[in-house]
Amino acid sequence: MTWQPAVREPDSLATLVHDSVRAHLFPGELDPRGFRPVPGESWRQAVLPDGTVVRADLAASPATQRRHGPRACAGIRVTGVLTVDRTGYRVAADVCIDLATRAVLSCDARIEAVSP
């Protein structure tokens, strides 16, 4: 598989989903959105610069070990709920992580609105 440039700018909701998935998988690493655990709760929360509150309640489970070109990778399935202010979304993502560098090589996320 060869690198290809993006064909369009990612939308802000997709970027939030990817950031929340990464924050869930690597909780001790630098998180650009600032997702932090909420004491006594199962979700993580971030407040965006415009004041929007984002909450993510995600769960990860191993999917498969595979290869991405010459690299050994772990497949991880992430599911859960993301809320942006008062709008809820069901999230399902298949993530491919390089085992040597912990780099997220791909994150195929599906988002479905579940409440207004």
Side-chain angles (χ1 to χ4, degrees), residues 10-51:
D11 67 44
S12 58
L13 180 59
T15 302
L16 276 175
V17 169
H18 289 190
D19 288 347
S20 66
V21 166
R22 183 163 181 82
H24 179 75
L25 293 176
F26 303 112
E29 293 186 4
L30 179 63
D31 173 15
R33 302 283 180 174
F35 279 96
R36 300 287 177 257
V38 176
E41 302 294 342
S42 63
W43 66 78
R44 300 173 75 80
Q45 178 175 301
V47 179
L48 304 182
D50 67 357

PDB file of all heavy atoms in Angstrom, residues 10-51:
ATOM      1  N   PRO A  10     -10.765  16.730   6.101  1.00  0.00           N
ATOM      2  CA  PRO A  10     -11.658  15.961   6.988  1.00  0.00           C
ATOM      3  C   PRO A  10     -12.610  16.897   7.726  1.00  0.00           C
ATOM      4  O   PRO A  10     -12.237  18.014   8.080  1.00  0.00           O
ATOM      5  CB  PRO A  10     -10.692  15.279   7.960  1.00  0.00           C
ATOM      6  CG  PRO A  10      -9.422  16.031   7.867  1.00  0.00           C
ATOM      7  CD  PRO A  10      -9.380  16.688   6.528  1.00  0.00           C
ATOM      8  N   ASP A  11     -13.840  16.432   7.930  1.00  0.00           N
ATOM      9  CA  ASP A  11     -14.783  17.288   8.650  1.00  0.00           C
ATOM     10  C   ASP A  11     -14.476  17.260  10.147  1.00  0.00           C
ATOM     11  O   ASP A  11     -13.776  16.382  10.638  1.00  0.00           O
ATOM     12  CB  ASP A  11     -16.232  16.917   8.342  1.00  0.00           C
ATOM     13  CG  ASP A  11     -16.642  15.549   8.856  1.00  0.00           C
ATOM     14  OD1 ASP A  11     -16.307  15.214   9.998  1.00  0.00           O
ATOM     15  OD2 ASP A  11     -17.316  14.823   8.109  1.00  0.00           O
ATOM     16  N   SER A  12     -14.984  18.234  10.854  1.00  0.00           N
ATOM     17  CA  SER A  12     -14.641  18.393  12.267  1.00  0.00           C
ATOM     18  C   SER A  12     -15.140  17.233  13.128  1.00  0.00           C
ATOM     19  O   SER A  12     -14.485  16.852  14.091  1.00  0.00           O
ATOM     20  CB  SER A  12     -15.171  19.717  12.799  1.00  0.00           C
ATOM     21  OG  SER A  12     -16.571  19.785  12.625  1.00  0.00           O
ATOM     22  N   LEU A  13     -16.300  16.642  12.794  1.00  0.00           N
ATOM     23  CA  LEU A  13     -16.811  15.513  13.572  1.00  0.00           C
ATOM     24  C   LEU A  13     -15.902  14.297  13.392  1.00  0.00           C
ATOM     25  O   LEU A  13     -15.567  13.622  14.368  1.00  0.00           O
ATOM     26  CB  LEU A  13     -18.250  15.176  13.169  1.00  0.00           C
ATOM     27  CG  LEU A  13     -18.887  14.016  13.915  1.00  0.00           C
ATOM     28  CD1 LEU A  13     -18.909  14.275  15.424  1.00  0.00           C
ATOM     29  CD2 LEU A  13     -20.289  13.760  13.395  1.00  0.00           C
ATOM     30  N   ALA A  14     -15.467  14.029  12.176  1.00  0.00           N
ATOM     31  CA  ALA A  14     -14.562  12.901  11.932  1.00  0.00           C
ATOM     32  C   ALA A  14     -13.252  13.099  12.686  1.00  0.00           C
ATOM     33  O   ALA A  14     -12.700  12.152  13.254  1.00  0.00           O
ATOM     34  CB  ALA A  14     -14.310  12.735  10.439  1.00  0.00           C
ATOM     35  N   THR A  15     -12.756  14.323  12.711  1.00  0.00           N
ATOM     36  CA  THR A  15     -11.522  14.612  13.436  1.00  0.00           C
ATOM     37  C   THR A  15     -11.714  14.392  14.937  1.00  0.00           C
ATOM     38  O   THR A  15     -10.845  13.831  15.608  1.00  0.00           O
ATOM     39  CB  THR A  15     -11.068  16.055  13.158  1.00  0.00           C
ATOM     40  OG1 THR A  15     -10.895  16.215  11.748  1.00  0.00           O
ATOM     41  CG2 THR A  15      -9.758  16.370  13.856  1.00  0.00           C
ATOM     42  N   LEU A  16     -12.866  14.805  15.478  1.00  0.00           N
ATOM     43  CA  LEU A  16     -13.166  14.565  16.896  1.00  0.00           C
ATOM     44  C   LEU A  16     -13.201  13.075  17.210  1.00  0.00           C
ATOM     45  O   LEU A  16     -12.693  12.637  18.234  1.00  0.00           O
ATOM     46  CB  LEU A  16     -14.515  15.178  17.269  1.00  0.00           C
ATOM     47  CG  LEU A  16     -14.546  16.640  17.637  1.00  0.00           C
ATOM     48  CD1 LEU A  16     -15.979  17.097  17.843  1.00  0.00           C
ATOM     49  CD2 LEU A  16     -13.723  16.903  18.874  1.00  0.00           C
ATOM     50  N   VAL A  17     -13.821  12.300  16.320  1.00  0.00           N
ATOM     51  CA  VAL A  17     -13.902  10.854  16.528  1.00  0.00           C
ATOM     52  C   VAL A  17     -12.502  10.255  16.548  1.00  0.00           C
ATOM     53  O   VAL A  17     -12.150   9.488  17.452  1.00  0.00           O
ATOM     54  CB  VAL A  17     -14.785  10.188  15.455  1.00  0.00           C
ATOM     55  CG1 VAL A  17     -14.651   8.669  15.509  1.00  0.00           C
ATOM     56  CG2 VAL A  17     -16.239  10.595  15.638  1.00  0.00           C
ATOM     57  N   HIS A  18     -11.676  10.608  15.571  1.00  0.00           N
ATOM     58  CA  HIS A  18     -10.317  10.064  15.509  1.00  0.00           C
ATOM     59  C   HIS A  18      -9.515  10.455  16.744  1.00  0.00           C
ATOM     60  O   HIS A  18      -8.801   9.619  17.315  1.00  0.00           O
ATOM     61  CB  HIS A  18      -9.620  10.523  14.241  1.00  0.00           C
ATOM     62  CG  HIS A  18     -10.170   9.870  13.010  1.00  0.00           C
ATOM     63  ND1 HIS A  18      -9.570   9.975  11.793  1.00  0.00           N
ATOM     64  CD2 HIS A  18     -11.274   9.113  12.802  1.00  0.00           C
ATOM     65  CE1 HIS A  18     -10.269   9.308  10.889  1.00  0.00           C
ATOM     66  NE2 HIS A  18     -11.313   8.788  11.487  1.00  0.00           N
ATOM     67  N   ASP A  19      -9.637  11.709  17.177  1.00  0.00           N
ATOM     68  CA  ASP A  19      -8.916  12.154  18.375  1.00  0.00           C
ATOM     69  C   ASP A  19      -9.396  11.423  19.623  1.00  0.00           C
ATOM     70  O   ASP A  19      -8.605  11.060  20.489  1.00  0.00           O
ATOM     71  CB  ASP A  19      -9.052  13.659  18.564  1.00  0.00           C
ATOM     72  CG  ASP A  19      -8.263  14.460  17.546  1.00  0.00           C
ATOM     73  OD1 ASP A  19      -7.407  13.880  16.834  1.00  0.00           O
ATOM     74  OD2 ASP A  19      -8.513  15.676  17.449  1.00  0.00           O
ATOM     75  N   SER A  20     -10.709  11.201  19.742  1.00  0.00           N
ATOM     76  CA  SER A  20     -11.233  10.518  20.926  1.00  0.00           C
ATOM     77  C   SER A  20     -10.821   9.046  20.934  1.00  0.00           C
ATOM     78  O   SER A  20     -10.524   8.491  21.996  1.00  0.00           O
ATOM     79  CB  SER A  20     -12.755  10.660  21.019  1.00  0.00           C
ATOM     80  OG  SER A  20     -13.404   9.997  19.958  1.00  0.00           O
ATOM     81  N   VAL A  21     -10.778   8.417  19.749  1.00  0.00           N
ATOM     82  CA  VAL A  21     -10.330   7.023  19.666  1.00  0.00           C
ATOM     83  C   VAL A  21      -8.867   6.930  20.093  1.00  0.00           C
ATOM     84  O   VAL A  21      -8.487   6.082  20.898  1.00  0.00           O
ATOM     85  CB  VAL A  21     -10.532   6.466  18.240  1.00  0.00           C
ATOM     86  CG1 VAL A  21      -9.774   5.165  18.042  1.00  0.00           C
ATOM     87  CG2 VAL A  21     -12.020   6.258  17.959  1.00  0.00           C
ATOM     88  N   ARG A  22      -8.028   7.816  19.582  1.00  0.00           N
ATOM     89  CA  ARG A  22      -6.608   7.800  19.947  1.00  0.00           C
ATOM     90  C   ARG A  22      -6.429   8.072  21.450  1.00  0.00           C
ATOM     91  O   ARG A  22      -5.623   7.418  22.112  1.00  0.00           O
ATOM     92  CB  ARG A  22      -5.827   8.814  19.131  1.00  0.00           C
ATOM     93  CG  ARG A  22      -4.351   8.757  19.441  1.00  0.00           C
ATOM     94  CD  ARG A  22      -3.506   9.425  18.391  1.00  0.00           C
ATOM     95  NE  ARG A  22      -2.115   9.310  18.742  1.00  0.00           N
ATOM     96  CZ  ARG A  22      -1.351   8.261  18.528  1.00  0.00           C
ATOM     97  NH1 ARG A  22      -1.844   7.203  17.942  1.00  0.00           N
ATOM     98  NH2 ARG A  22      -0.093   8.244  18.890  1.00  0.00           N
ATOM     99  N   ALA A  23      -7.179   9.028  22.003  1.00  0.00           N
ATOM    100  CA  ALA A  23      -7.083   9.327  23.435  1.00  0.00           C
ATOM    101  C   ALA A  23      -7.508   8.118  24.265  1.00  0.00           C
ATOM    102  O   ALA A  23      -6.948   7.868  25.339  1.00  0.00           O
ATOM    103  CB  ALA A  23      -7.945  10.536  23.782  1.00  0.00           C
ATOM    104  N   HIS A  24      -8.483   7.351  23.774  1.00  0.00           N
ATOM    105  CA  HIS A  24      -8.930   6.161  24.495  1.00  0.00           C
ATOM    106  C   HIS A  24      -7.856   5.070  24.447  1.00  0.00           C
ATOM    107  O   HIS A  24      -7.586   4.418  25.464  1.00  0.00           O
ATOM    108  CB  HIS A  24     -10.236   5.641  23.904  1.00  0.00           C
ATOM    109  CG  HIS A  24     -10.744   4.413  24.584  1.00  0.00           C
ATOM    110  ND1 HIS A  24     -11.340   4.449  25.825  1.00  0.00           N
ATOM    111  CD2 HIS A  24     -10.704   3.115  24.223  1.00  0.00           C
ATOM    112  CE1 HIS A  24     -11.664   3.224  26.188  1.00  0.00           C
ATOM    113  NE2 HIS A  24     -11.279   2.384  25.233  1.00  0.00           N
ATOM    114  N   LEU A  25      -7.244   4.884  23.282  1.00  0.00           N
ATOM    115  CA  LEU A  25      -6.259   3.814  23.124  1.00  0.00           C
ATOM    116  C   LEU A  25      -4.923   4.138  23.799  1.00  0.00           C
ATOM    117  O   LEU A  25      -4.238   3.246  24.281  1.00  0.00           O
ATOM    118  CB  LEU A  25      -6.030   3.528  21.639  1.00  0.00           C
ATOM    119  CG  LEU A  25      -7.226   2.934  20.893  1.00  0.00           C
ATOM    120  CD1 LEU A  25      -6.908   2.799  19.408  1.00  0.00           C
ATOM    121  CD2 LEU A  25      -7.639   1.595  21.488  1.00  0.00           C
ATOM    122  N   PHE A  26      -4.551   5.411  23.820  1.00  0.00           N
ATOM    123  CA  PHE A  26      -3.269   5.840  24.391  1.00  0.00           C
ATOM    124  C   PHE A  26      -3.514   6.952  25.413  1.00  0.00           C
ATOM    125  O   PHE A  26      -3.206   8.110  25.174  1.00  0.00           O
ATOM    126  CB  PHE A  26      -2.325   6.327  23.289  1.00  0.00           C
ATOM    127  CG  PHE A  26      -2.070   5.312  22.223  1.00  0.00           C
ATOM    128  CD1 PHE A  26      -2.549   5.498  20.935  1.00  0.00           C
ATOM    129  CD2 PHE A  26      -1.371   4.150  22.501  1.00  0.00           C
ATOM    130  CE1 PHE A  26      -2.321   4.558  19.950  1.00  0.00           C
ATOM    131  CE2 PHE A  26      -1.132   3.205  21.509  1.00  0.00           C
ATOM    132  CZ  PHE A  26      -1.616   3.405  20.230  1.00  0.00           C
ATOM    133  N   PRO A  27      -4.077   6.622  26.577  1.00  0.00           N
ATOM    134  CA  PRO A  27      -4.489   7.662  27.532  1.00  0.00           C
ATOM    135  C   PRO A  27      -3.363   8.498  28.112  1.00  0.00           C
ATOM    136  O   PRO A  27      -3.593   9.608  28.557  1.00  0.00           O
ATOM    137  CB  PRO A  27      -5.208   6.874  28.630  1.00  0.00           C
ATOM    138  CG  PRO A  27      -4.739   5.480  28.501  1.00  0.00           C
ATOM    139  CD  PRO A  27      -4.376   5.277  27.059  1.00  0.00           C
ATOM    140  N   GLY A  28      -2.137   8.016  28.107  1.00  0.00           N
ATOM    141  CA  GLY A  28      -1.051   8.789  28.705  1.00  0.00           C
ATOM    142  C   GLY A  28      -0.341   9.713  27.736  1.00  0.00           C
ATOM    143  O   GLY A  28       0.529  10.473  28.132  1.00  0.00           O
ATOM    144  N   GLU A  29      -0.701   9.669  26.464  1.00  0.00           N
ATOM    145  CA  GLU A  29       0.003  10.464  25.464  1.00  0.00           C
ATOM    146  C   GLU A  29      -0.643  11.822  25.267  1.00  0.00           C
ATOM    147  O   GLU A  29      -1.796  12.041  25.638  1.00  0.00           O
ATOM    148  CB  GLU A  29       0.051   9.704  24.139  1.00  0.00           C
ATOM    149  CG  GLU A  29       0.912   8.467  24.220  1.00  0.00           C
ATOM    150  CD  GLU A  29       1.073   7.781  22.880  1.00  0.00           C
ATOM    151  OE1 GLU A  29       0.578   8.297  21.859  1.00  0.00           O
ATOM    152  OE2 GLU A  29       1.699   6.721  22.865  1.00  0.00           O
ATOM    153  N   LEU A  30       0.106  12.719  24.645  1.00  0.00           N
ATOM    154  CA  LEU A  30      -0.388  14.059  24.351  1.00  0.00           C
ATOM    155  C   LEU A  30      -1.642  13.978  23.483  1.00  0.00           C
ATOM    156  O   LEU A  30      -1.675  13.286  22.483  1.00  0.00           O
ATOM    157  CB  LEU A  30       0.693  14.854  23.620  1.00  0.00           C
ATOM    158  CG  LEU A  30       0.325  16.272  23.227  1.00  0.00           C
ATOM    159  CD1 LEU A  30       0.063  17.113  24.475  1.00  0.00           C
ATOM    160  CD2 LEU A  30       1.434  16.891  22.396  1.00  0.00           C
ATOM    161  N   ASP A  31      -2.667  14.677  23.881  1.00  0.00           N
ATOM    162  CA  ASP A  31      -3.960  14.663  23.198  1.00  0.00           C
ATOM    163  C   ASP A  31      -4.291  16.088  22.764  1.00  0.00           C
ATOM    164  O   ASP A  31      -4.482  16.955  23.616  1.00  0.00           O
ATOM    165  CB  ASP A  31      -5.007  14.112  24.162  1.00  0.00           C
ATOM    166  CG  ASP A  31      -6.417  14.206  23.644  1.00  0.00           C
ATOM    167  OD1 ASP A  31      -6.613  14.424  22.438  1.00  0.00           O
ATOM    168  OD2 ASP A  31      -7.335  14.066  24.462  1.00  0.00           O
ATOM    169  N   PRO A  32      -4.371  16.357  21.459  1.00  0.00           N
ATOM    170  CA  PRO A  32      -4.584  17.731  21.006  1.00  0.00           C
ATOM    171  C   PRO A  32      -5.929  18.319  21.432  1.00  0.00           C
ATOM    172  O   PRO A  32      -6.062  19.526  21.562  1.00  0.00           O
ATOM    173  CB  PRO A  32      -4.488  17.629  19.485  1.00  0.00           C
ATOM    174  CG  PRO A  32      -4.791  16.205  19.167  1.00  0.00           C
ATOM    175  CD  PRO A  32      -4.295  15.417  20.345  1.00  0.00           C
ATOM    176  N   ARG A  33      -6.929  17.513  21.661  1.00  0.00           N
ATOM    177  CA  ARG A  33      -8.253  18.006  22.068  1.00  0.00           C
ATOM    178  C   ARG A  33      -8.396  18.105  23.578  1.00  0.00           C
ATOM    179  O   ARG A  33      -9.325  18.713  24.066  1.00  0.00           O
ATOM    180  CB  ARG A  33      -9.359  17.101  21.537  1.00  0.00           C
ATOM    181  CG  ARG A  33      -9.378  16.946  20.064  1.00  0.00           C
ATOM    182  CD  ARG A  33      -9.958  18.159  19.422  1.00  0.00           C
ATOM    183  NE  ARG A  33      -9.940  17.928  17.981  1.00  0.00           N
ATOM    184  CZ  ARG A  33     -10.457  18.717  17.117  1.00  0.00           C
ATOM    185  NH1 ARG A  33     -11.053  19.813  17.503  1.00  0.00           N
ATOM    186  NH2 ARG A  33     -10.402  18.460  15.835  1.00  0.00           N
ATOM    187  N   GLY A  34      -7.513  17.464  24.303  1.00  0.00           N
ATOM    188  CA  GLY A  34      -7.573  17.538  25.759  1.00  0.00           C
ATOM    189  C   GLY A  34      -8.610  16.621  26.372  1.00  0.00           C
ATOM    190  O   GLY A  34      -9.212  16.954  27.392  1.00  0.00           O
ATOM    191  N   PHE A  35      -8.848  15.442  25.785  1.00  0.00           N
ATOM    192  CA  PHE A  35      -9.782  14.482  26.383  1.00  0.00           C
ATOM    193  C   PHE A  35      -9.206  13.996  27.699  1.00  0.00           C
ATOM    194  O   PHE A  35      -8.084  13.504  27.756  1.00  0.00           O
ATOM    195  CB  PHE A  35     -10.016  13.284  25.450  1.00  0.00           C
ATOM    196  CG  PHE A  35     -11.012  13.546  24.371  1.00  0.00           C
ATOM    197  CD1 PHE A  35     -10.596  13.932  23.107  1.00  0.00           C
ATOM    198  CD2 PHE A  35     -12.367  13.429  24.615  1.00  0.00           C
ATOM    199  CE1 PHE A  35     -11.511  14.179  22.107  1.00  0.00           C
ATOM    200  CE2 PHE A  35     -13.293  13.679  23.615  1.00  0.00           C
ATOM    201  CZ  PHE A  35     -12.872  14.050  22.362  1.00  0.00           C
ATOM    202  N   ARG A  36      -9.959  14.175  28.763  1.00  0.00           N
ATOM    203  CA  ARG A  36      -9.526  13.777  30.099  1.00  0.00           C
ATOM    204  C   ARG A  36     -10.597  12.899  30.734  1.00  0.00           C
ATOM    205  O   ARG A  36     -11.787  13.122  30.533  1.00  0.00           O
ATOM    206  CB  ARG A  36      -9.319  15.005  30.988  1.00  0.00           C
ATOM    207  CG  ARG A  36      -8.286  15.978  30.475  1.00  0.00           C
ATOM    208  CD  ARG A  36      -6.872  15.410  30.652  1.00  0.00           C
ATOM    209  NE  ARG A  36      -5.883  16.313  30.104  1.00  0.00           N
ATOM    210  CZ  ARG A  36      -5.265  16.141  28.941  1.00  0.00           C
ATOM    211  NH1 ARG A  36      -5.518  15.108  28.206  1.00  0.00           N
ATOM    212  NH2 ARG A  36      -4.367  17.004  28.515  1.00  0.00           N
ATOM    213  N   PRO A  37     -10.173  11.925  31.562  1.00  0.00           N
ATOM    214  CA  PRO A  37     -11.158  11.104  32.264  1.00  0.00           C
ATOM    215  C   PRO A  37     -11.973  11.965  33.225  1.00  0.00           C
ATOM    216  O   PRO A  37     -11.459  12.906  33.829  1.00  0.00           O
ATOM    217  CB  PRO A  37     -10.306  10.101  33.039  1.00  0.00           C
ATOM    218  CG  PRO A  37      -8.937  10.204  32.492  1.00  0.00           C
ATOM    219  CD  PRO A  37      -8.801  11.537  31.846  1.00  0.00           C
ATOM    220  N   VAL A  38     -13.243  11.644  33.357  1.00  0.00           N
ATOM    221  CA  VAL A  38     -14.115  12.318  34.321  1.00  0.00           C
ATOM    222  C   VAL A  38     -14.127  11.454  35.580  1.00  0.00           C
ATOM    223  O   VAL A  38     -14.492  10.277  35.514  1.00  0.00           O
ATOM    224  CB  VAL A  38     -15.544  12.485  33.752  1.00  0.00           C
ATOM    225  CG1 VAL A  38     -16.472  13.089  34.784  1.00  0.00           C
ATOM    226  CG2 VAL A  38     -15.513  13.325  32.482  1.00  0.00           C
ATOM    227  N   PRO A  39     -13.681  11.985  36.724  1.00  0.00           N
ATOM    228  CA  PRO A  39     -13.616  11.181  37.954  1.00  0.00           C
ATOM    229  C   PRO A  39     -14.967  10.535  38.278  1.00  0.00           C
ATOM    230  O   PRO A  39     -16.006  11.193  38.261  1.00  0.00           O
ATOM    231  CB  PRO A  39     -13.216  12.198  39.030  1.00  0.00           C
ATOM    232  CG  PRO A  39     -12.534  13.301  38.277  1.00  0.00           C
ATOM    233  CD  PRO A  39     -13.237  13.365  36.944  1.00  0.00           C
ATOM    234  N   GLY A  40     -14.920   9.236  38.538  1.00  0.00           N
ATOM    235  CA  GLY A  40     -16.117   8.493  38.916  1.00  0.00           C
ATOM    236  C   GLY A  40     -17.025   8.122  37.758  1.00  0.00           C
ATOM    237  O   GLY A  40     -18.088   7.552  37.969  1.00  0.00           O
ATOM    238  N   GLU A  41     -16.632   8.437  36.537  1.00  0.00           N
ATOM    239  CA  GLU A  41     -17.456   8.129  35.365  1.00  0.00           C
ATOM    240  C   GLU A  41     -16.651   7.296  34.377  1.00  0.00           C
ATOM    241  O   GLU A  41     -15.433   7.202  34.477  1.00  0.00           O
ATOM    242  CB  GLU A  41     -17.935   9.420  34.686  1.00  0.00           C
ATOM    243  CG  GLU A  41     -18.731  10.339  35.576  1.00  0.00           C
ATOM    244  CD  GLU A  41     -20.068   9.754  36.008  1.00  0.00           C
ATOM    245  OE1 GLU A  41     -20.556   8.796  35.375  1.00  0.00           O
ATOM    246  OE2 GLU A  41     -20.624  10.244  36.995  1.00  0.00           O
ATOM    247  N   SER A  42     -17.333   6.728  33.386  1.00  0.00           N
ATOM    248  CA  SER A  42     -16.648   5.875  32.410  1.00  0.00           C
ATOM    249  C   SER A  42     -16.219   6.632  31.160  1.00  0.00           C
ATOM    250  O   SER A  42     -15.538   6.080  30.319  1.00  0.00           O
ATOM    251  CB  SER A  42     -17.567   4.715  32.010  1.00  0.00           C
ATOM    252  OG  SER A  42     -18.734   5.207  31.378  1.00  0.00           O
ATOM    253  N   TRP A  43     -16.607   7.883  31.043  1.00  0.00           N
ATOM    254  CA  TRP A  43     -16.281   8.614  29.816  1.00  0.00           C
ATOM    255  C   TRP A  43     -15.125   9.582  30.002  1.00  0.00           C
ATOM    256  O   TRP A  43     -14.695   9.870  31.102  1.00  0.00           O
ATOM    257  CB  TRP A  43     -17.506   9.349  29.279  1.00  0.00           C
ATOM    258  CG  TRP A  43     -18.026  10.459  30.149  1.00  0.00           C
ATOM    259  CD1 TRP A  43     -17.519  11.707  30.278  1.00  0.00           C
ATOM    260  CD2 TRP A  43     -19.156  10.411  31.005  1.00  0.00           C
ATOM    261  NE1 TRP A  43     -18.254  12.443  31.161  1.00  0.00           N
ATOM    262  CE2 TRP A  43     -19.277  11.668  31.628  1.00  0.00           C
ATOM    263  CE3 TRP A  43     -20.089   9.435  31.313  1.00  0.00           C
ATOM    264  CZ2 TRP A  43     -20.275  11.967  32.518  1.00  0.00           C
ATOM    265  CZ3 TRP A  43     -21.089   9.738  32.208  1.00  0.00           C
ATOM    266  CH2 TRP A  43     -21.176  10.987  32.800  1.00  0.00           C
ATOM    267  N   ARG A  44     -14.651  10.067  28.844  1.00  0.00           N
ATOM    268  CA  ARG A  44     -13.631  11.114  28.801  1.00  0.00           C
ATOM    269  C   ARG A  44     -14.297  12.353  28.232  1.00  0.00           C
ATOM    270  O   ARG A  44     -15.222  12.250  27.443  1.00  0.00           O
ATOM    271  CB  ARG A  44     -12.455  10.682  27.924  1.00  0.00           C
ATOM    272  CG  ARG A  44     -11.787   9.414  28.444  1.00  0.00           C
ATOM    273  CD  ARG A  44     -10.735   8.896  27.496  1.00  0.00           C
ATOM    274  NE  ARG A  44      -9.522   9.676  27.512  1.00  0.00           N
ATOM    275  CZ  ARG A  44      -8.565   9.597  28.413  1.00  0.00           C
ATOM    276  NH1 ARG A  44      -8.673   8.737  29.403  1.00  0.00           N
ATOM    277  NH2 ARG A  44      -7.479  10.353  28.359  1.00  0.00           N
ATOM    278  N   GLN A  45     -13.820  13.517  28.625  1.00  0.00           N
ATOM    279  CA  GLN A  45     -14.455  14.768  28.224  1.00  0.00           C
ATOM    280  C   GLN A  45     -13.411  15.769  27.745  1.00  0.00           C
ATOM    281  O   GLN A  45     -12.300  15.808  28.256  1.00  0.00           O
ATOM    282  CB  GLN A  45     -15.222  15.350  29.398  1.00  0.00           C
ATOM    283  CG  GLN A  45     -15.896  16.667  29.131  1.00  0.00           C
ATOM    284  CD  GLN A  45     -16.739  17.105  30.303  1.00  0.00           C
ATOM    285  OE1 GLN A  45     -17.644  16.392  30.695  1.00  0.00           O
ATOM    286  NE2 GLN A  45     -16.423  18.255  30.868  1.00  0.00           N
ATOM    287  N   ALA A  46     -13.804  16.568  26.758  1.00  0.00           N
ATOM    288  CA  ALA A  46     -12.962  17.663  26.281  1.00  0.00           C
ATOM    289  C   ALA A  46     -13.851  18.880  26.073  1.00  0.00           C
ATOM    290  O   ALA A  46     -15.026  18.755  25.708  1.00  0.00           O
ATOM    291  CB  ALA A  46     -12.281  17.296  24.971  1.00  0.00           C
ATOM    292  N   VAL A  47     -13.299  20.056  26.333  1.00  0.00           N
ATOM    293  CA  VAL A  47     -14.001  21.300  26.050  1.00  0.00           C
ATOM    294  C   VAL A  47     -13.219  21.999  24.943  1.00  0.00           C
ATOM    295  O   VAL A  47     -12.035  22.312  25.109  1.00  0.00           O
ATOM    296  CB  VAL A  47     -14.107  22.195  27.308  1.00  0.00           C
ATOM    297  CG1 VAL A  47     -14.817  23.497  26.970  1.00  0.00           C
ATOM    298  CG2 VAL A  47     -14.828  21.460  28.426  1.00  0.00           C
ATOM    299  N   LEU A  48     -13.863  22.213  23.808  1.00  0.00           N
ATOM    300  CA  LEU A  48     -13.214  22.823  22.657  1.00  0.00           C
ATOM    301  C   LEU A  48     -13.069  24.327  22.872  1.00  0.00           C
ATOM    302  O   LEU A  48     -13.741  24.904  23.737  1.00  0.00           O
ATOM    303  CB  LEU A  48     -14.020  22.531  21.398  1.00  0.00           C
ATOM    304  CG  LEU A  48     -14.272  21.046  21.110  1.00  0.00           C
ATOM    305  CD1 LEU A  48     -15.039  20.882  19.812  1.00  0.00           C
ATOM    306  CD2 LEU A  48     -12.969  20.276  21.063  1.00  0.00           C
ATOM    307  N   PRO A  49     -12.199  24.979  22.110  1.00  0.00           N
ATOM    308  CA  PRO A  49     -11.986  26.426  22.281  1.00  0.00           C
ATOM    309  C   PRO A  49     -13.266  27.262  22.169  1.00  0.00           C
ATOM    310  O   PRO A  49     -13.376  28.304  22.812  1.00  0.00           O
ATOM    311  CB  PRO A  49     -11.011  26.773  21.154  1.00  0.00           C
ATOM    312  CG  PRO A  49     -10.276  25.513  20.896  1.00  0.00           C
ATOM    313  CD  PRO A  49     -11.277  24.417  21.124  1.00  0.00           C
ATOM    314  N   ASP A  50     -14.249  26.791  21.409  1.00  0.00           N
ATOM    315  CA  ASP A  50     -15.492  27.552  21.274  1.00  0.00           C
ATOM    316  C   ASP A  50     -16.489  27.253  22.396  1.00  0.00           C
ATOM    317  O   ASP A  50     -17.611  27.733  22.388  1.00  0.00           O
ATOM    318  CB  ASP A  50     -16.140  27.307  19.911  1.00  0.00           C
ATOM    319  CG  ASP A  50     -16.638  25.880  19.731  1.00  0.00           C
ATOM    320  OD1 ASP A  50     -16.439  25.038  20.636  1.00  0.00           O
ATOM    321  OD2 ASP A  50     -17.237  25.599  18.674  1.00  0.00           O
ATOM    322  N   GLY A  51     -16.083  26.440  23.382  1.00  0.00           N
ATOM    323  CA  GLY A  51     -16.948  26.123  24.516  1.00  0.00           C
ATOM    324  C   GLY A  51     -17.767  24.849  24.338  1.00  0.00           C
ATOM    325  O   GLY A  51     -18.472  24.433  25.257  1.00  0.00           O
TER     326      GLY A  51
END
